[in-house]
Amino acid sequence: MRMAELYPVGTAVEIGSLTFTAEDIVRFARDFDPQPFHLDAELARHTLFGGLCASGWHSSAGWMKCFVPFWAGECRRLAAEGIAPPKLGPSPGFTALSWLKPVFADDTITYSVTLLGSRQLASRPDRLINTFLCAGRNQNGEPVIRFESTVLEFV
């Protein structure tokens, strides 16, 4: 089965949700993005964000944290139905990353993936390149993150 057969182009699929606690935000920031509005709730109140918020990199990592178990579950589901799941490889990269709205402490982000297109590689006919819109919305339905990712698929 190919990815485009499993998920029709343009169909958004929810891959999971993640709640960003104040403790998680500070822990991630301490290790990877030590800016005051990610580290200290009181200092963050006096910034343009008005409160403790997650690093954009943290919200991006949240997407991957949801996608990996989602995809593993899809592979198990398809195998149980006697269907060989698409053989995905690594991602050669992403484009158009936008952090659209801050992710504040106790926000729950629901992530999704939408197949935008799939094409055979001219130089490697045994491989496809899939382009996905990856996104996340907070508990109020407001978009907070969006990016396009490409993923190899082996045929």
Side-chain angles (χ1 to χ4, degrees):
M1 170 169 276
R2 293 190 176 172
M3 189 61 86
E5 296 167 326
L6 182 58
Y7 303 114
V9 170
T11 303
V13 178
E14 284 189 6
I15 61 169
S17 298
L18 184 64
T19 299
F20 288 75
T21 67
E23 296 78 18
D24 290 337
I25 289 170
V26 171
R27 183 176 29 257
F28 185 95
R30 204 178 304 119
D31 289 342
F32 302 107
D33 193 353
Q35 298 183 73
F37 40 84
H38 301 319
L39 290 169
D40 185 299
E42 183 56 33
L43 289 174
R45 287 182 344 107
H46 304 288
T47 68
L48 66 104
F49 298 115
L52 186 70
C53 61
S55 165
W57 298 113
H58 190 179
S59 63
S60 301
W63 185 92
M64 186 59 76
K65 182 174 181 162
C66 288
F67 180 76
V68 170
F70 166 80
W71 184 244
E74 283 292 271
C75 288
R76 285 190 302 275
R77 177 183 68 81
L78 291 168
E81 294 174 14
I83 300 168
K87 295 178 186 130
L88 300 184
S91 170
F94 66 92
T95 61
L97 172 61
S98 297
W99 296 312
L100 305 165
K101 184 173 178 54
V103 173
F104 293 104
D106 298 322
D107 278 356
T108 297
I109 308 306
T110 299
Y111 293 101
S112 65
V113 62
T114 305
L115 181 64
L116 298 177
S118 182
R119 65 177 175 79
Q120 193 170 32
L121 292 176
S123 62
R124 305 290 295 264
D126 62 331
R127 295 179 190 176
L128 302 170
I129 188 87
N130 295 305
T131 303
F132 294 96
L133 173 64
C134 306
R137 294 183 172 274
N138 66 18
Q139 65 279 357
N140 301 316
E142 301 165 316
V144 298
I145 185 173
R146 179 177 53 233
F147 60 96
E148 288 186 18
S149 177
T150 51
V151 176
L152 290 174
E153 181 176 343
F154 302 97
V155 242

